[in-house]
Amino acid sequence: MNLSNTWSTLWRMALLALTLVVGIGLGQQALAQADPGSEMATAVPTVDADTWRQIRSGETGPNYRTSRFDSDYNLINASGESWRQLRNRWVSPFGLIAVGGMLGLIVLFYLIVGSKKLDEPRTGRKVLRWTLFVRSLHWTVATLFILLALTGLNLAYGKAVFRPLFGDGFWAAMMSGTKLIHNYLGPLFGIVLVILLLRLLHHNWPKKHDLVWFKKGGAMVGKGHVDAGFANGGEKVWFWLLATAGIVVIASGFVMDFPNFGLARDTMQWANIIHAIGALGLTAVALGHIYIGTIGTEGSIEGMTTGYVDETWAKEHHNLWYEEVKDQAIPEADLAAQREAPRGGDEPAPHSS
Ligand code: HEM
């Protein structure tokens, strides 16, 4: 099987898996939804005659208080109300500022500074940077992340946008589909992300030269470059953000996905706040990663699509790594011939990921 066949088979399999997951999601609502009966049993403390007497006398408790405003005597779930305020007054607006602000900053940066072009001409000789395995993992993680980010943003802000635009019926159907997709893809993303992180861990241990990289802002403005091994300082920050905040987002997502394991309502509320802060923050940073990986840096995307980068790119962006692999550089024509050959066109070199 040649390389393009392997690719298309892999993608077809990934697509099939994705379709299956979404299909199961749409077909079996009950699994991801909390069983309302059991949730009630764990979320609400027993309400007995004493509780009602307490409420009637105007006393307050940890899970309720009476609102005597306008003498309407409504029962209010105090902790639920605190969660609602925290979510609507703080998390949602600041999340929007983080994501929208990052988008604005990227556009400004691109308009003022522009993309980082290669200083020297390409040599036409290529070094292997990302194996087929890592590329497949990366693009699966990226696809799932984008789907989760879009559905997540819809869960957070969709009500304000789509309900007035399309009406209750459309909005309700859209939200229940969105929630199902989000609920099922979350755990899948968690599994694939952990595999990717484990695979890349050895490249991402902090080194002394990373400090210089940060001091010089990765030389993103102007000409010149800073010392970097396989991963530069910025990539290491992205890696460790995913390995810390990413794991917290996944764990808090699991808590919300499985309320049926005796989880209290307060736990779910905290999981929701933590999940939203982490996920919105990561979405903002992901926009920066996507910019740098595409129009922000000439030649970067080639590595993640074909596996190979030009020697000039390797020398300018990852000079310390280039010193280790320069003996393995292959002329572009030989690479094309290898790709046409039945097998072995994408064998990992010892120093590639
Ligand atoms: C359309 C979206 C994306 C594009 C175009 C993109 C592009 C890239 C490129 C070009 C690289 C290689 C950089 C290099 O060779 O030095 C890379 C690396 C990486 N990307 Fe993405 N990416 C995208 C989305 C994502 C997402 C959503 C995640 C995670 C949630 C992610 C995680 C990573 C990681 C962990 C690395 C490796 C950095 C390291 O060395 O540790 N990417 N990406």
Side-chain angles (χ1 to χ4, degrees):
M1 208 190 295
N2 66 23
L3 187 65
S4 64
N5 278 345
T6 319
W7 258 113
S8 81
T9 314
L10 261 173
W11 272 110
R12 249 179 266 155
M13 279 166 65
L15 219 84
L16 193 71
L18 208 70
T19 318
L20 214 71
V21 169
V22 176
I24 292 170
L26 294 170
Q28 299 187 352
Q29 293 214 15
L31 268 179
Q33 307 285 351
D35 166 11
S38 76
E39 197 190 337
M40 279 294 282
T42 59
V44 182
T46 324
V47 178
D48 52 20
D50 280 342
T51 314
W52 287 116
R53 222 168 284 127
Q54 235 180 331
I55 293 168
R56 214 172 305 128
S57 70
E59 281 181 48
T60 58
N63 286 298
Y64 59 84
R65 62 184 160 81
T66 53
S67 156
R68 302 215 161 179
F69 179 71
D70 275 349
S71 304
D72 60 1
Y73 293 92
N74 282 331
L75 258 187
I76 291 173
N77 173 344
S79 84
E81 177 59 9
S82 308
W83 163 76
R84 197 179 72 88
Q85 299 282 357
L86 200 59
R87 177 189 188 271
N88 292 357
R89 289 201 182 168
W90 295 96
V91 181
S92 300
F94 279 97
L96 203 60
I97 291 171
V99 176
M102 180 61 103
L103 212 60
L105 282 178
I106 291 172
V107 172
L108 270 181
F109 187 86
Y110 182 68
L111 292 177
I112 296 168
V113 179
S115 68
K116 179 93 182 161
K117 301 281 181 209
L118 291 173
D119 291 341
E120 302 293 326
R122 292 167 183 250
T123 66
R125 288 161 59 81
K126 303 279 181 178
V127 275
L128 179 62
R129 183 157 172 80
W130 302 105
T131 60
L132 180 62
F133 178 61
V134 175
R135 276 179 282 147
S136 309
L137 278 175
H138 175 268
W139 290 120
T140 308
V141 163
T143 309
L144 289 173
F145 184 95
I146 291 167
L147 287 172
L148 285 165
L150 291 175
T151 49
L153 287 171
N154 197 24
L155 288 172
Y157 307 106
K159 185 177 175 181
V161 180
F162 298 112
R163 199 178 186 183
L165 270 181
F166 301 118
D168 284 358
F170 178 88
W171 173 73
M174 181 185 180
M175 291 315 278
S176 69
T178 295
K179 186 167 138 47
L180 280 173
I181 292 170
H182 200 83
N183 283 355
Y184 278 94
L185 293 189
L188 199 63
F189 169 75
I191 295 165
V192 196
L193 178 70
V194 168
I195 302 173
L196 178 68
L197 292 177
L198 290 175
R199 185 69 183 72
L200 296 179
L201 179 65
H202 64 293
H203 290 309
N204 285 282
W205 296 114
K207 296 269 166 64
K208 252 195 190 146
H209 56 247
D210 297 328
L211 283 177
V212 183
W213 192 95
F214 289 121
K215 267 190 206 149
K216 300 200 172 166
M220 278 179 72
V221 181
K223 285 197 174 239
H225 293 277
V226 207
D227 277 353
F230 184 91
N232 62 36
E235 284 167 334
K236 287 182 186 177
V237 166
W238 181 222
F239 175 92
W240 286 107
L241 263 179
L242 290 169
T244 51
I247 298 300
V248 170
V249 169
I250 292 161
S252 49
F254 265 106
V255 170
M256 288 187 286
D257 248 351
F258 297 102
N260 38 339
F261 289 130
L263 295 168
R265 185 170 286 268
D266 276 0
T267 313
M268 309 282 285
Q269 283 164 187
W270 279 116
N272 175 275
I273 296 293
I274 292 167
H275 187 78
I277 294 173
L280 288 164
L282 280 181
T283 303
V285 184
L287 292 175
H289 171 74
I290 294 169
Y291 167 74
I292 293 171
T294 52
I295 52 171
T297 321
E298 181 187 350
S300 278
I301 193 77
E302 290 165 25
M304 244 334 151
T305 50
T306 67
Y308 287 84
V309 290
D310 193 271
E311 264 188 328
T312 303
W313 184 92
K315 214 182 301 174
E316 293 186 4
H317 291 288
H318 298 273
N319 58 332
L320 305 176
W321 168 68
Y322 173 70
E323 287 304 317
E324 292 170 25
V325 295
K326 61 182 178 193
D327 297 342
Q328 293 152 22
I330 343 172
E332 214 164 354
D334 291 6
L335 198 62
Q338 260 188 40
R339 285 202 173 119
E340 291 308 309
R343 250 174 199 283
D346 196 38
E347 288 302 315
H351 294 287
S352 60
S353 189

